[in-house]
Amino acid sequence: MSLLTPSGAVIVKLMGEAQRGPRREGLFALWLTLRLAEDLLLLPPQPERSVKRRVVALEKRLSSMSLPGTLRRALVAALASLGEPSRGQAAAVLHQLVVPAKEALGAEAAETLTRAARAAAQRG
């Protein structure tokens, strides 16, 4: 498990400020996905089997959450990409979530993902 990254800390702050409902659940789902993507960058890397188990667990968790439709579709696509984990995927997965996050959760969440994707690209 990863420690709270700067991007993760911003998402957690946004969760704390959001009222209960689809927006807060969307931020929580985004945070879980962000953690999973950023963990692909760990050295030494996590075993592929472990990452795949986390993807399956996150898919199950997302299925019970009330999420905005555009965000749900983007998260499903991101998890499909993470199903075959590689270090280079982290930036691409985070980048593909920027626009849906902006539409569903606001500009600050999208800017946070943009920064996380850039940091992942530099580390990957």
Side-chain angles (χ1 to χ4, degrees):
M1 295 288 183
S2 65
L3 299 175
L4 203 56
T5 63
S7 297
V10 172
I11 300 295
V12 168
K13 177 185 82 80
L14 293 173
M15 270 192 289
E17 296 170 353
Q19 294 181 358
R20 295 183 85 162
R23 186 170 192 277
R24 182 187 278 174
E25 288 195 13
L27 287 164
F28 181 61
L30 191 64
W31 178 68
L32 291 172
T33 307
L34 173 69
R35 286 185 55 191
L36 184 57
E38 288 180 335
D39 284 353
L40 291 177
L41 302 170
L42 293 175
L43 291 175
Q46 292 184 337
E48 186 175 323
R49 185 175 180 182
S50 173
V51 174
K52 286 183 177 188
R53 275 188 273 160
R54 287 181 63 195
V55 168
V56 169
L58 184 52
E59 286 172 338
K60 284 183 184 179
R61 180 70 174 107
L62 293 179
S63 70
S64 67
M65 296 176 81
S66 172
L67 302 172
T70 57
L71 184 61
R72 178 177 298 282
R73 287 186 294 277
L75 289 169
V76 167
L79 291 178
S81 296
L82 293 171
E84 293 299 322
S86 74
R87 193 171 166 82
Q89 285 180 307
V93 166
L94 294 173
H95 185 70
Q96 77 183 31
L97 292 172
V98 171
V99 172
K102 184 173 185 176
E103 291 175 9
L105 306 172
E108 191 171 1
E111 290 169 14
T112 300
L113 280 177
T114 300
R115 286 191 299 272
R118 285 184 188 139
Q122 289 175 352
R123 291 175 54 196

